[in-house]
Amino acid sequence: MRLRSFCTISVLDASAKSTSGLEQGDVFQLGHFDQCMGVGSFGQYCLADVRLEGYRLRAQVSRQMSTENSTIVHWGVCVPASCADSDVGRLLQMTTGSREVTIPERGCHRESGNGRTSTAEVVYASVIMFFVLMVLASTCYHVRSMYGSGSEKQSTFGSVLRSFSVVENLRKLVQDSKDDHGLGCINGIKSVAMFFILGSHALLFMAGGATYNPGFHGE
């Protein structure tokens, strides 16, 4: 009885209670996914699209003024695993006062509880382990050839195997290349440009998710 009461409190606490900042573009009210999944097979997390009347995005948030007098909010709610999509829809209609609640396909997630590993996970782990073993074997072969006989001729297979060596690749990355044309600054420009590209991609990833005012970044 005490465990069931604890799960009920956790489910209630993991749900989004009320909205804030809708007119400023904060349309993601997600609750807490990890806490909902932490109750095990008792709970499930659903992310529904709820249309709330009377809210309108202001002009300073978006370059385009919204003509609708309503806003679709992505509302996260944690409910018992026995609840169907229709039950979640009725719950949100009662709690939010909205008459239009839509739950997308696969919008609800629950723990399977079987502890089995899927085929995709096995394939992914196998590919990663293959590359890890290849790097280890290549590095060991390279170290052995460095301390082995120097008169041994390098075969084609050995050259290909050494291309995955950590020692070989680190040596090529840190070696000082000779530039007879005075264009060494081009390498620096390429390095700075690469850092900017990586940083911009990371920024777009963070700004493109469920963040504050995502519509402004999309424009």
Side-chain angles (χ1 to χ4, degrees):
M1 184 68 180
R2 183 176 300 176
L3 177 61
R4 190 173 185 85
S5 176
F6 171 76
C7 292
T8 304
I9 295 175
S10 298
V11 165
L12 179 62
D13 185 50
S15 302
K17 308 299 188 303
S18 61
T19 60
S20 61
L22 292 184
E23 293 189 350
Q24 295 294 329
D26 191 6
V27 295
F28 290 90
Q29 309 293 327
L30 301 178
H32 204 288
F33 177 83
D34 292 332
Q35 180 176 337
C36 184
M37 293 294 99
V39 299
S41 59
F42 178 78
Q44 65 172 335
Y45 179 87
C46 296
L47 186 61
D49 297 333
V50 181
R51 180 175 292 277
L52 297 180
E53 301 292 338
Y55 293 96
R56 189 174 182 180
L57 296 181
R58 296 182 179 178
Q60 64 266 26
V61 178
S62 175
R63 298 186 182 93
Q64 298 178 357
M65 185 64 178
S66 177
T67 57
E68 296 185 3
N69 197 30
S70 62
T71 302
I72 295 180
V73 181
H74 307 286
W75 198 296
V77 60
C78 186
V79 296
S82 58
C83 294
D85 293 352
S86 57
D87 300 327
V88 178
R90 285 194 297 268
L91 173 64
L92 288 175
Q93 286 178 351
M94 290 187 297
T95 55
T96 63
S98 173
R99 292 178 293 180
E100 183 179 342
V101 177
T102 304
I103 300 178
E105 185 180 359
R106 295 186 298 180
C108 293
H109 179 79
R110 70 183 68 178
E111 289 289 348
S112 58
N114 52 17
R116 297 179 180 178
T117 305
S118 63
T119 304
E121 292 174 340
V122 173
V123 172
Y124 177 78
S126 301
V127 172
I128 296 299
M129 287 301 300
F130 172 76
F131 282 106
V132 170
L133 293 176
M134 181 179 294
V135 170
L136 290 177
S138 176
T139 304
C140 293
Y141 174 80
H142 187 194
V143 173
R144 179 179 176 275
S145 63
M146 288 172 57
Y147 294 98
S149 176
S151 60
E152 183 180 355
K153 185 178 180 180
Q154 187 71 30
S155 62
T156 304
F157 175 76
S159 300
V160 174
L161 188 59
R162 284 183 55 177
S163 62
F164 294 93
S165 171
V166 175
V167 179
E168 182 75 11
N169 286 277
L170 286 178
R171 178 185 299 173
K172 291 181 179 180
L173 287 174
V174 300
Q175 70 180 358
D176 186 16
S177 60
K178 296 181 180 180
D179 188 3
D180 298 333
H181 302 284
L183 298 177
C185 61
I186 301 298
N187 296 327
I189 295 175
K190 290 191 295 184
S191 300
V192 173
M194 183 59 65
F195 279 113
F196 275 111
I197 292 173
L198 294 176
S200 61
H201 278 81
L203 180 61
L204 287 175
F205 176 78
M206 292 184 293
T211 57
Y212 184 78
N213 191 15
F216 181 79
H217 298 283
E219 295 179 2

PDB file of all heavy atoms in Angstrom, residues 61-101:
ATOM      1  N   VAL A  61       8.233  38.266 -30.123  1.00  0.00           N
ATOM      2  CA  VAL A  61       8.744  36.903 -30.062  1.00  0.00           C
ATOM      3  C   VAL A  61       9.046  36.384 -31.450  1.00  0.00           C
ATOM      4  O   VAL A  61      10.059  35.764 -31.701  1.00  0.00           O
ATOM      5  CB  VAL A  61       7.728  35.986 -29.353  1.00  0.00           C
ATOM      6  CG1 VAL A  61       8.235  34.557 -29.331  1.00  0.00           C
ATOM      7  CG2 VAL A  61       7.484  36.487 -27.942  1.00  0.00           C
ATOM      8  N   SER A  62       8.157  36.629 -32.381  1.00  0.00           N
ATOM      9  CA  SER A  62       8.304  36.135 -33.742  1.00  0.00           C
ATOM     10  C   SER A  62       8.240  37.298 -34.712  1.00  0.00           C
ATOM     11  O   SER A  62       7.574  38.297 -34.462  1.00  0.00           O
ATOM     12  CB  SER A  62       7.194  35.117 -34.056  1.00  0.00           C
ATOM     13  OG  SER A  62       7.262  34.712 -35.401  1.00  0.00           O
ATOM     14  N   ARG A  63       8.922  37.162 -35.822  1.00  0.00           N
ATOM     15  CA  ARG A  63       8.883  38.210 -36.841  1.00  0.00           C
ATOM     16  C   ARG A  63       7.541  38.248 -37.556  1.00  0.00           C
ATOM     17  O   ARG A  63       7.211  39.222 -38.211  1.00  0.00           O
ATOM     18  CB  ARG A  63      10.008  37.983 -37.855  1.00  0.00           C
ATOM     19  CG  ARG A  63      11.404  38.057 -37.255  1.00  0.00           C
ATOM     20  CD  ARG A  63      12.470  37.958 -38.333  1.00  0.00           C
ATOM     21  NE  ARG A  63      13.805  37.988 -37.762  1.00  0.00           N
ATOM     22  CZ  ARG A  63      14.501  36.925 -37.445  1.00  0.00           C
ATOM     23  NH1 ARG A  63      13.981  35.731 -37.650  1.00  0.00           N
ATOM     24  NH2 ARG A  63      15.711  37.020 -36.930  1.00  0.00           N
ATOM     25  N   GLN A  64       6.789  37.157 -37.452  1.00  0.00           N
ATOM     26  CA  GLN A  64       5.472  37.099 -38.065  1.00  0.00           C
ATOM     27  C   GLN A  64       4.415  37.064 -36.967  1.00  0.00           C
ATOM     28  O   GLN A  64       4.448  36.216 -36.087  1.00  0.00           O
ATOM     29  CB  GLN A  64       5.351  35.858 -38.952  1.00  0.00           C
ATOM     30  CG  GLN A  64       6.333  35.842 -40.110  1.00  0.00           C
ATOM     31  CD  GLN A  64       6.221  34.580 -40.928  1.00  0.00           C
ATOM     32  OE1 GLN A  64       5.453  33.697 -40.606  1.00  0.00           O
ATOM     33  NE2 GLN A  64       6.991  34.507 -41.997  1.00  0.00           N
ATOM     34  N   MET A  65       3.485  37.988 -37.028  1.00  0.00           N
ATOM     35  CA  MET A  65       2.439  38.080 -36.019  1.00  0.00           C
ATOM     36  C   MET A  65       1.451  36.936 -36.192  1.00  0.00           C
ATOM     37  O   MET A  65       0.984  36.659 -37.293  1.00  0.00           O
ATOM     38  CB  MET A  65       1.705  39.423 -36.144  1.00  0.00           C
ATOM     39  CG  MET A  65       0.676  39.651 -35.060  1.00  0.00           C
ATOM     40  SD  MET A  65       1.427  39.756 -33.429  1.00  0.00           S
ATOM     41  CE  MET A  65      -0.022  40.086 -32.430  1.00  0.00           C
ATOM     42  N   SER A  66       1.145  36.255 -35.107  1.00  0.00           N
ATOM     43  CA  SER A  66       0.198  35.155 -35.164  1.00  0.00           C
ATOM     44  C   SER A  66      -1.213  35.698 -35.329  1.00  0.00           C
ATOM     45  O   SER A  66      -1.626  36.634 -34.641  1.00  0.00           O
ATOM     46  CB  SER A  66       0.293  34.314 -33.885  1.00  0.00           C
ATOM     47  OG  SER A  66      -0.670  33.299 -33.898  1.00  0.00           O
ATOM     48  N   THR A  67      -1.950  35.113 -36.269  1.00  0.00           N
ATOM     49  CA  THR A  67      -3.322  35.552 -36.517  1.00  0.00           C
ATOM     50  C   THR A  67      -4.334  34.730 -35.731  1.00  0.00           C
ATOM     51  O   THR A  67      -5.504  35.094 -35.681  1.00  0.00           O
ATOM     52  CB  THR A  67      -3.643  35.443 -38.019  1.00  0.00           C
ATOM     53  OG1 THR A  67      -3.439  34.088 -38.451  1.00  0.00           O
ATOM     54  CG2 THR A  67      -2.732  36.361 -38.827  1.00  0.00           C
ATOM     55  N   GLU A  68      -3.921  33.625 -35.150  1.00  0.00           N
ATOM     56  CA  GLU A  68      -4.833  32.783 -34.393  1.00  0.00           C
ATOM     57  C   GLU A  68      -4.868  33.230 -32.938  1.00  0.00           C
ATOM     58  O   GLU A  68      -3.863  33.674 -32.380  1.00  0.00           O
ATOM     59  CB  GLU A  68      -4.407  31.316 -34.482  1.00  0.00           C
ATOM     60  CG  GLU A  68      -4.471  30.744 -35.887  1.00  0.00           C
ATOM     61  CD  GLU A  68      -4.148  29.266 -35.909  1.00  0.00           C
ATOM     62  OE1 GLU A  68      -3.930  28.703 -34.813  1.00  0.00           O
ATOM     63  OE2 GLU A  68      -4.118  28.682 -36.999  1.00  0.00           O
ATOM     64  N   ASN A  69      -6.027  33.071 -32.348  1.00  0.00           N
ATOM     65  CA  ASN A  69      -6.202  33.434 -30.944  1.00  0.00           C
ATOM     66  C   ASN A  69      -6.096  32.195 -30.057  1.00  0.00           C
ATOM     67  O   ASN A  69      -6.746  32.099 -29.025  1.00  0.00           O
ATOM     68  CB  ASN A  69      -7.557  34.116 -30.737  1.00  0.00           C
ATOM     69  CG  ASN A  69      -7.607  34.866 -29.412  1.00  0.00           C
ATOM     70  OD1 ASN A  69      -6.587  35.347 -28.922  1.00  0.00           O
ATOM     71  ND2 ASN A  69      -8.790  34.942 -28.826  1.00  0.00           N
ATOM     72  N   SER A  70      -5.275  31.258 -30.493  1.00  0.00           N
ATOM     73  CA  SER A  70      -5.063  30.034 -29.726  1.00  0.00           C
ATOM     74  C   SER A  70      -3.654  29.532 -29.987  1.00  0.00           C
ATOM     75  O   SER A  70      -3.021  29.906 -30.972  1.00  0.00           O
ATOM     76  CB  SER A  70      -6.089  28.961 -30.103  1.00  0.00           C
ATOM     77  OG  SER A  70      -5.957  28.610 -31.468  1.00  0.00           O
ATOM     78  N   THR A  71      -3.184  28.692 -29.113  1.00  0.00           N
ATOM     79  CA  THR A  71      -1.822  28.169 -29.196  1.00  0.00           C
ATOM     80  C   THR A  71      -1.841  26.682 -28.896  1.00  0.00           C
ATOM     81  O   THR A  71      -2.528  26.235 -27.973  1.00  0.00           O
ATOM     82  CB  THR A  71      -0.891  28.879 -28.194  1.00  0.00           C
ATOM     83  OG1 THR A  71      -0.898  30.278 -28.453  1.00  0.00           O
ATOM     84  CG2 THR A  71       0.530  28.357 -28.315  1.00  0.00           C
ATOM     85  N   ILE A  72      -1.093  25.910 -29.682  1.00  0.00           N
ATOM     86  CA  ILE A  72      -0.950  24.478 -29.427  1.00  0.00           C
ATOM     87  C   ILE A  72       0.228  24.271 -28.482  1.00  0.00           C
ATOM     88  O   ILE A  72       1.347  24.697 -28.763  1.00  0.00           O
ATOM     89  CB  ILE A  72      -0.740  23.694 -30.728  1.00  0.00           C
ATOM     90  CG1 ILE A  72      -1.989  23.792 -31.606  1.00  0.00           C
ATOM     91  CG2 ILE A  72      -0.420  22.237 -30.435  1.00  0.00           C
ATOM     92  CD1 ILE A  72      -1.875  23.049 -32.912  1.00  0.00           C
ATOM     93  N   VAL A  73      -0.041  23.635 -27.368  1.00  0.00           N
ATOM     94  CA  VAL A  73       0.967  23.381 -26.344  1.00  0.00           C
ATOM     95  C   VAL A  73       1.269  21.888 -26.325  1.00  0.00           C
ATOM     96  O   VAL A  73       0.355  21.059 -26.345  1.00  0.00           O
ATOM     97  CB  VAL A  73       0.475  23.840 -24.957  1.00  0.00           C
ATOM     98  CG1 VAL A  73       1.544  23.592 -23.904  1.00  0.00           C
ATOM     99  CG2 VAL A  73       0.094  25.310 -24.997  1.00  0.00           C
ATOM    100  N   HIS A  74       2.545  21.557 -26.297  1.00  0.00           N
ATOM    101  CA  HIS A  74       2.971  20.162 -26.179  1.00  0.00           C
ATOM    102  C   HIS A  74       3.054  19.834 -24.688  1.00  0.00           C
ATOM    103  O   HIS A  74       3.978  20.254 -24.000  1.00  0.00           O
ATOM    104  CB  HIS A  74       4.312  19.954 -26.874  1.00  0.00           C
ATOM    105  CG  HIS A  74       4.314  20.429 -28.298  1.00  0.00           C
ATOM    106  ND1 HIS A  74       3.686  19.744 -29.318  1.00  0.00           N
ATOM    107  CD2 HIS A  74       4.846  21.540 -28.866  1.00  0.00           C
ATOM    108  CE1 HIS A  74       3.846  20.397 -30.454  1.00  0.00           C
ATOM    109  NE2 HIS A  74       4.543  21.492 -30.205  1.00  0.00           N
ATOM    110  N   TRP A  75       2.081  19.088 -24.215  1.00  0.00           N
ATOM    111  CA  TRP A  75       1.869  18.894 -22.777  1.00  0.00           C
ATOM    112  C   TRP A  75       2.253  17.469 -22.395  1.00  0.00           C
ATOM    113  O   TRP A  75       1.709  16.500 -22.909  1.00  0.00           O
ATOM    114  CB  TRP A  75       0.396  19.142 -22.448  1.00  0.00           C
ATOM    115  CG  TRP A  75       0.116  19.404 -20.999  1.00  0.00           C
ATOM    116  CD1 TRP A  75       0.305  18.548 -19.961  1.00  0.00           C
ATOM    117  CD2 TRP A  75      -0.405  20.607 -20.435  1.00  0.00           C
ATOM    118  NE1 TRP A  75      -0.058  19.122 -18.782  1.00  0.00           N
ATOM    119  CE2 TRP A  75      -0.504  20.399 -19.041  1.00  0.00           C
ATOM    120  CE3 TRP A  75      -0.804  21.830 -20.960  1.00  0.00           C
ATOM    121  CZ2 TRP A  75      -0.989  21.373 -18.172  1.00  0.00           C
ATOM    122  CZ3 TRP A  75      -1.281  22.796 -20.102  1.00  0.00           C
ATOM    123  CH2 TRP A  75      -1.372  22.569 -18.725  1.00  0.00           C
ATOM    124  N   GLY A  76       3.201  17.361 -21.467  1.00  0.00           N
ATOM    125  CA  GLY A  76       3.631  16.059 -20.980  1.00  0.00           C
ATOM    126  C   GLY A  76       2.890  15.679 -19.713  1.00  0.00           C
ATOM    127  O   GLY A  76       2.774  16.480 -18.785  1.00  0.00           O
ATOM    128  N   VAL A  77       2.381  14.468 -19.683  1.00  0.00           N
ATOM    129  CA  VAL A  77       1.620  14.002 -18.527  1.00  0.00           C
ATOM    130  C   VAL A  77       2.016  12.562 -18.231  1.00  0.00           C
ATOM    131  O   VAL A  77       2.271  11.763 -19.137  1.00  0.00           O
ATOM    132  CB  VAL A  77       0.098  14.112 -18.789  1.00  0.00           C
ATOM    133  CG1 VAL A  77      -0.313  13.288 -19.990  1.00  0.00           C
ATOM    134  CG2 VAL A  77      -0.701  13.695 -17.565  1.00  0.00           C
ATOM    135  N   CYS A  78       2.119  12.249 -16.958  1.00  0.00           N
ATOM    136  CA  CYS A  78       2.447  10.899 -16.507  1.00  0.00           C
ATOM    137  C   CYS A  78       1.190  10.276 -15.910  1.00  0.00           C
ATOM    138  O   CYS A  78       0.580  10.846 -14.992  1.00  0.00           O
ATOM    139  CB  CYS A  78       3.574  10.936 -15.477  1.00  0.00           C
ATOM    140  SG  CYS A  78       4.188   9.302 -14.982  1.00  0.00           S
ATOM    141  N   VAL A  79       0.789   9.143 -16.447  1.00  0.00           N
ATOM    142  CA  VAL A  79      -0.446   8.479 -16.029  1.00  0.00           C
ATOM    143  C   VAL A  79      -0.146   7.006 -15.777  1.00  0.00           C
ATOM    144  O   VAL A  79       0.893   6.489 -16.198  1.00  0.00           O
ATOM    145  CB  VAL A  79      -1.545   8.627 -17.106  1.00  0.00           C
ATOM    146  CG1 VAL A  79      -1.942  10.081 -17.289  1.00  0.00           C
ATOM    147  CG2 VAL A  79      -1.077   8.040 -18.433  1.00  0.00           C
ATOM    148  N   PRO A  80      -1.047   6.300 -15.095  1.00  0.00           N
ATOM    149  CA  PRO A  80      -0.856   4.851 -14.931  1.00  0.00           C
ATOM    150  C   PRO A  80      -0.798   4.133 -16.274  1.00  0.00           C
ATOM    151  O   PRO A  80      -1.398   4.562 -17.261  1.00  0.00           O
ATOM    152  CB  PRO A  80      -2.083   4.430 -14.112  1.00  0.00           C
ATOM    153  CG  PRO A  80      -2.470   5.659 -13.363  1.00  0.00           C
ATOM    154  CD  PRO A  80      -2.161   6.803 -14.282  1.00  0.00           C
ATOM    155  N   ALA A  81      -0.067   3.042 -16.312  1.00  0.00           N
ATOM    156  CA  ALA A  81       0.135   2.314 -17.564  1.00  0.00           C
ATOM    157  C   ALA A  81      -1.151   1.712 -18.103  1.00  0.00           C
ATOM    158  O   ALA A  81      -1.246   1.406 -19.294  1.00  0.00           O
ATOM    159  CB  ALA A  81       1.176   1.213 -17.358  1.00  0.00           C
ATOM    160  N   SER A  82      -2.151   1.545 -17.258  1.00  0.00           N
ATOM    161  CA  SER A  82      -3.418   0.965 -17.705  1.00  0.00           C
ATOM    162  C   SER A  82      -4.290   1.955 -18.464  1.00  0.00           C
ATOM    163  O   SER A  82      -5.297   1.562 -19.055  1.00  0.00           O
ATOM    164  CB  SER A  82      -4.193   0.424 -16.503  1.00  0.00           C
ATOM    165  OG  SER A  82      -4.427   1.459 -15.549  1.00  0.00           O
ATOM    166  N   CYS A  83      -3.937   3.234 -18.470  1.00  0.00           N
ATOM    167  CA  CYS A  83      -4.746   4.251 -19.147  1.00  0.00           C
ATOM    168  C   CYS A  83      -4.531   4.189 -20.655  1.00  0.00           C
ATOM    169  O   CYS A  83      -3.395   4.083 -21.134  1.00  0.00           O
ATOM    170  CB  CYS A  83      -4.394   5.646 -18.641  1.00  0.00           C
ATOM    171  SG  CYS A  83      -4.816   5.933 -16.907  1.00  0.00           S
ATOM    172  N   ALA A  84      -5.622   4.283 -21.405  1.00  0.00           N
ATOM    173  CA  ALA A  84      -5.555   4.336 -22.858  1.00  0.00           C
ATOM    174  C   ALA A  84      -5.399   5.782 -23.323  1.00  0.00           C
ATOM    175  O   ALA A  84      -5.475   6.722 -22.526  1.00  0.00           O
ATOM    176  CB  ALA A  84      -6.811   3.709 -23.462  1.00  0.00           C
ATOM    177  N   ASP A  85      -5.189   5.961 -24.636  1.00  0.00           N
ATOM    178  CA  ASP A  85      -5.041   7.313 -25.174  1.00  0.00           C
ATOM    179  C   ASP A  85      -6.292   8.150 -24.948  1.00  0.00           C
ATOM    180  O   ASP A  85      -6.209   9.361 -24.687  1.00  0.00           O
ATOM    181  CB  ASP A  85      -4.723   7.244 -26.670  1.00  0.00           C
ATOM    182  CG  ASP A  85      -3.348   6.643 -26.935  1.00  0.00           C
ATOM    183  OD1 ASP A  85      -2.595   6.433 -25.956  1.00  0.00           O
ATOM    184  OD2 ASP A  85      -3.031   6.381 -28.110  1.00  0.00           O
ATOM    185  N   SER A  86      -7.453   7.517 -25.046  1.00  0.00           N
ATOM    186  CA  SER A  86      -8.698   8.256 -24.816  1.00  0.00           C
ATOM    187  C   SER A  86      -8.799   8.731 -23.369  1.00  0.00           C
ATOM    188  O   SER A  86      -9.312   9.828 -23.101  1.00  0.00           O
ATOM    189  CB  SER A  86      -9.892   7.369 -25.169  1.00  0.00           C
ATOM    190  OG  SER A  86      -9.871   6.163 -24.405  1.00  0.00           O
ATOM    191  N   ASP A  87      -8.301   7.923 -22.431  1.00  0.00           N
ATOM    192  CA  ASP A  87      -8.314   8.344 -21.027  1.00  0.00           C
ATOM    193  C   ASP A  87      -7.402   9.545 -20.803  1.00  0.00           C
ATOM    194  O   ASP A  87      -7.745  10.474 -20.062  1.00  0.00           O
ATOM    195  CB  ASP A  87      -7.880   7.185 -20.130  1.00  0.00           C
ATOM    196  CG  ASP A  87      -8.802   5.979 -20.250  1.00  0.00           C
ATOM    197  OD1 ASP A  87     -10.011   6.192 -20.462  1.00  0.00           O
ATOM    198  OD2 ASP A  87      -8.309   4.839 -20.138  1.00  0.00           O
ATOM    199  N   VAL A  88      -6.240   9.526 -21.450  1.00  0.00           N
ATOM    200  CA  VAL A  88      -5.316  10.654 -21.328  1.00  0.00           C
ATOM    201  C   VAL A  88      -5.930  11.911 -21.928  1.00  0.00           C
ATOM    202  O   VAL A  88      -5.811  13.014 -21.377  1.00  0.00           O
ATOM    203  CB  VAL A  88      -3.974  10.318 -22.007  1.00  0.00           C
ATOM    204  CG1 VAL A  88      -3.018  11.497 -21.931  1.00  0.00           C
ATOM    205  CG2 VAL A  88      -3.342   9.088 -21.373  1.00  0.00           C
ATOM    206  N   GLY A  89      -6.622  11.763 -23.072  1.00  0.00           N
ATOM    207  CA  GLY A  89      -7.274  12.910 -23.686  1.00  0.00           C
ATOM    208  C   GLY A  89      -8.347  13.513 -22.801  1.00  0.00           C
ATOM    209  O   GLY A  89      -8.436  14.739 -22.658  1.00  0.00           O
ATOM    210  N   ARG A  90      -9.169  12.669 -22.183  1.00  0.00           N
ATOM    211  CA  ARG A  90     -10.214  13.185 -21.289  1.00  0.00           C
ATOM    212  C   ARG A  90      -9.608  13.844 -20.055  1.00  0.00           C
ATOM    213  O   ARG A  90     -10.122  14.862 -19.565  1.00  0.00           O
ATOM    214  CB  ARG A  90     -11.151  12.048 -20.879  1.00  0.00           C
ATOM    215  CG  ARG A  90     -12.107  11.620 -21.983  1.00  0.00           C
ATOM    216  CD  ARG A  90     -13.220  10.751 -21.427  1.00  0.00           C
ATOM    217  NE  ARG A  90     -12.696   9.503 -20.876  1.00  0.00           N
ATOM    218  CZ  ARG A  90     -12.587   8.377 -21.567  1.00  0.00           C
ATOM    219  NH1 ARG A  90     -12.954   8.346 -22.850  1.00  0.00           N
ATOM    220  NH2 ARG A  90     -12.124   7.276 -21.001  1.00  0.00           N
ATOM    221  N   LEU A  91      -8.508  13.281 -19.551  1.00  0.00           N
ATOM    222  CA  LEU A  91      -7.849  13.879 -18.390  1.00  0.00           C
ATOM    223  C   LEU A  91      -7.339  15.279 -18.701  1.00  0.00           C
ATOM    224  O   LEU A  91      -7.542  16.221 -17.920  1.00  0.00           O
ATOM    225  CB  LEU A  91      -6.696  12.981 -17.936  1.00  0.00           C
ATOM    226  CG  LEU A  91      -5.793  13.538 -16.830  1.00  0.00           C
ATOM    227  CD1 LEU A  91      -6.584  13.723 -15.540  1.00  0.00           C
ATOM    228  CD2 LEU A  91      -4.594  12.627 -16.604  1.00  0.00           C
ATOM    229  N   LEU A  92      -6.708  15.443 -19.857  1.00  0.00           N
ATOM    230  CA  LEU A  92      -6.190  16.757 -20.225  1.00  0.00           C
ATOM    231  C   LEU A  92      -7.313  17.733 -20.547  1.00  0.00           C
ATOM    232  O   LEU A  92      -7.180  18.939 -20.308  1.00  0.00           O
ATOM    233  CB  LEU A  92      -5.239  16.622 -21.417  1.00  0.00           C
ATOM    234  CG  LEU A  92      -3.889  15.965 -21.106  1.00  0.00           C
ATOM    235  CD1 LEU A  92      -3.076  15.778 -22.374  1.00  0.00           C
ATOM    236  CD2 LEU A  92      -3.105  16.796 -20.098  1.00  0.00           C
ATOM    237  N   GLN A  93      -8.406  17.247 -21.087  1.00  0.00           N
ATOM    238  CA  GLN A  93      -9.541  18.133 -21.332  1.00  0.00           C
ATOM    239  C   GLN A  93     -10.113  18.669 -20.024  1.00  0.00           C
ATOM    240  O   GLN A  93     -10.493  19.844 -19.933  1.00  0.00           O
ATOM    241  CB  GLN A  93     -10.618  17.389 -22.121  1.00  0.00           C
ATOM    242  CG  GLN A  93     -10.278  17.173 -23.585  1.00  0.00           C
ATOM    243  CD  GLN A  93     -11.348  16.387 -24.318  1.00  0.00           C
ATOM    244  OE1 GLN A  93     -12.283  15.859 -23.711  1.00  0.00           O
ATOM    245  NE2 GLN A  93     -11.207  16.284 -25.634  1.00  0.00           N
ATOM    246  N   MET A  94     -10.159  17.822 -19.010  1.00  0.00           N
ATOM    247  CA  MET A  94     -10.690  18.267 -17.720  1.00  0.00           C
ATOM    248  C   MET A  94      -9.722  19.193 -16.995  1.00  0.00           C
ATOM    249  O   MET A  94     -10.131  20.164 -16.367  1.00  0.00           O
ATOM    250  CB  MET A  94     -11.013  17.050 -16.845  1.00  0.00           C
ATOM    251  CG  MET A  94     -12.202  16.240 -17.322  1.00  0.00           C
ATOM    252  SD  MET A  94     -12.657  14.930 -16.154  1.00  0.00           S
ATOM    253  CE  MET A  94     -11.175  13.911 -16.188  1.00  0.00           C
ATOM    254  N   THR A  95      -8.423  18.912 -17.077  1.00  0.00           N
ATOM    255  CA  THR A  95      -7.449  19.705 -16.320  1.00  0.00           C
ATOM    256  C   THR A  95      -7.089  21.013 -17.005  1.00  0.00           C
ATOM    257  O   THR A  95      -6.782  22.001 -16.332  1.00  0.00           O
ATOM    258  CB  THR A  95      -6.173  18.884 -16.095  1.00  0.00           C
ATOM    259  OG1 THR A  95      -5.669  18.430 -17.357  1.00  0.00           O
ATOM    260  CG2 THR A  95      -6.450  17.689 -15.197  1.00  0.00           C
ATOM    261  N   THR A  96      -7.113  21.047 -18.337  1.00  0.00           N
ATOM    262  CA  THR A  96      -6.722  22.258 -19.059  1.00  0.00           C
ATOM    263  C   THR A  96      -7.909  23.064 -19.566  1.00  0.00           C
ATOM    264  O   THR A  96      -7.739  24.236 -19.918  1.00  0.00           O
ATOM    265  CB  THR A  96      -5.825  21.900 -20.257  1.00  0.00           C
ATOM    266  OG1 THR A  96      -6.569  21.092 -21.189  1.00  0.00           O
ATOM    267  CG2 THR A  96      -4.593  21.130 -19.794  1.00  0.00           C
ATOM    268  N   GLY A  97      -9.087  22.454 -19.631  1.00  0.00           N
ATOM    269  CA  GLY A  97     -10.243  23.146 -20.175  1.00  0.00           C
ATOM    270  C   GLY A  97     -10.257  23.214 -21.680  1.00  0.00           C
ATOM    271  O   GLY A  97     -11.092  23.918 -22.262  1.00  0.00           O
ATOM    272  N   SER A  98      -9.355  22.500 -22.339  1.00  0.00           N
ATOM    273  CA  SER A  98      -9.294  22.517 -23.796  1.00  0.00           C
ATOM    274  C   SER A  98     -10.263  21.495 -24.371  1.00  0.00           C
ATOM    275  O   SER A  98     -10.465  20.416 -23.811  1.00  0.00           O
ATOM    276  CB  SER A  98      -7.869  22.213 -24.267  1.00  0.00           C
ATOM    277  OG  SER A  98      -7.821  22.072 -25.672  1.00  0.00           O
ATOM    278  N   ARG A  99     -10.843  21.845 -25.518  1.00  0.00           N
ATOM    279  CA  ARG A  99     -11.735  20.927 -26.208  1.00  0.00           C
ATOM    280  C   ARG A  99     -11.043  20.184 -27.341  1.00  0.00           C
ATOM    281  O   ARG A  99     -11.658  19.348 -27.999  1.00  0.00           O
ATOM    282  CB  ARG A  99     -12.947  21.691 -26.750  1.00  0.00           C
ATOM    283  CG  ARG A  99     -13.874  22.219 -25.668  1.00  0.00           C
ATOM    284  CD  ARG A  99     -15.018  23.008 -26.257  1.00  0.00           C
ATOM    285  NE  ARG A  99     -14.561  24.241 -26.885  1.00  0.00           N
ATOM    286  CZ  ARG A  99     -15.361  25.127 -27.475  1.00  0.00           C
ATOM    287  NH1 ARG A  99     -16.659  24.901 -27.523  1.00  0.00           N
ATOM    288  NH2 ARG A  99     -14.863  26.223 -28.006  1.00  0.00           N
ATOM    289  N   GLU A 100      -9.773  20.507 -27.582  1.00  0.00           N
ATOM    290  CA  GLU A 100      -9.022  19.869 -28.662  1.00  0.00           C
ATOM    291  C   GLU A 100      -7.709  19.328 -28.106  1.00  0.00           C
ATOM    292  O   GLU A 100      -6.754  20.076 -27.884  1.00  0.00           O
ATOM    293  CB  GLU A 100      -8.748  20.858 -29.795  1.00  0.00           C
ATOM    294  CG  GLU A 100      -8.041  20.232 -30.988  1.00  0.00           C
ATOM    295  CD  GLU A 100      -7.804  21.228 -32.106  1.00  0.00           C
ATOM    296  OE1 GLU A 100      -8.464  22.285 -32.104  1.00  0.00           O
ATOM    297  OE2 GLU A 100      -6.955  20.950 -32.978  1.00  0.00           O
ATOM    298  N   VAL A 101      -7.682  18.046 -27.863  1.00  0.00           N
ATOM    299  CA  VAL A 101      -6.493  17.362 -27.351  1.00  0.00           C
ATOM    300  C   VAL A 101      -6.160  16.224 -28.305  1.00  0.00           C
ATOM    301  O   VAL A 101      -7.006  15.365 -28.579  1.00  0.00           O
ATOM    302  CB  VAL A 101      -6.712  16.817 -25.929  1.00  0.00           C
ATOM    303  CG1 VAL A 101      -5.478  16.051 -25.461  1.00  0.00           C
ATOM    304  CG2 VAL A 101      -7.032  17.950 -24.965  1.00  0.00           C
TER     305      VAL A 101
END
